[in-house]
Amino acid sequence: HWWPCDSAVASTDYEGRARCINLGLCVSGCSQGAKASTDITYWPLALRSGNVELRPRSRVRKITTDRNGMASGAIYYDRDGKEHFQAAEIVILACNGVGTPRLLLNSASARFPDGLANSSGMVGKNLMMHPWPIVSGYVEQKLDGSRGPITCQWSKQFYETDPKRDFVRGYTLQFGRGTGPANQAIVGAASGHLPWGADHHRVYREMLDHRVNIGVACDDLPEEHNRVTLDHELKDSNGIPAPKIDYTISENTRRMMEHGIARAEEILRAAGATRIYCSRTALNYPGHLLGTARMGRDPARSVVNEWGRSHDVKNLFIVDGSVFVTGGGVNPTSTIQAVALYIADQIKSRLATLFD
């Protein structure tokens, strides 16, 4: 039931990316330039075409609309806090599951009093994350946990709904090795396994390069009470209302988590691991924010149509994880990228009739 994960690193020099030389610092950024991050792949290609201008450290306050209800551009602040207006024939949002609903709600107007593209009332609702408990243990063999790109093995044995279990949907098991010295010190101290005092260095040496872990990637269900709204008291440095997040792990997800934790503990014990412990309440990284501007064909139950166009504003598109209708028990990055490329192709192919 296990297979290796994909890793977006280059084994040879490729289109401006250097080959991977196993520095092992993928999470904090690759100084070799081998990692397939957007700043190395898409952005340089777009900038070289001469058709794109990148304005870093800019913050959009509002998407404006014209008298016909079409998006006309964006009001934004530059790095010095100066306000600008950028006119546009097409507006595309890629601010993910919190930033996108925040901007749409902040773009309310007389014509769109509940927020832009929100006639359904669904903007901000159905926030999904990935409750991701991590079960860790230590083995006798020394591992190369901090060497090379981050790789893992996946199992989807418990991914689909099983009527015999007390929850619907399922999860992916992600088996991984330990990471570098600093991370191990943090993890060891947080778990309580790394003591202070005379035994500190001895125990640390026993832990470093001996940790294995299994993440339980839970398929979070779309629930309307998990949502993003605006906080009209808390504002950012430009005076824009901050997002307010209401999120509770559902009973279905809680049972799913416990089932996955039990299976992960069984696997680690079978592998000979000791000092097994679990972080039960981990919500996976800020990138896993999904579902708050869902895609669908029914304008009463969704924000964008099946090719990413707003039901309410014909020249407004969303290409990020907020369009997801389910969370899936997997990392969403590849799917977000595929959806963005698909919507871009649709926009290009439909330009002649886009405003019909």
Side-chain angles (χ1 to χ4, degrees), residues 12 17 148 156 199 206 226 235 261 273 283 342 349:
T12 61
R17 275 194 289 148
K156 281 188 164 35
D199 284 338
E206 292 175 355
N226 288 334
K235 294 179 172 57
I261 289 169
L283 295 173
Y342 168 73
S349 66

Side-chain angles (χ1 to χ4, degrees), residues 218-236:
C218 295
D219 187 351
D220 212 9
L221 298 181
E223 297 177 294
E224 290 191 14
H225 62 82
N226 288 334
R227 59 181 184 163
V228 177
T229 56
L230 295 180
D231 190 326
H232 292 287
E233 294 183 5
L234 181 64
K235 294 179 172 57
D236 63 26

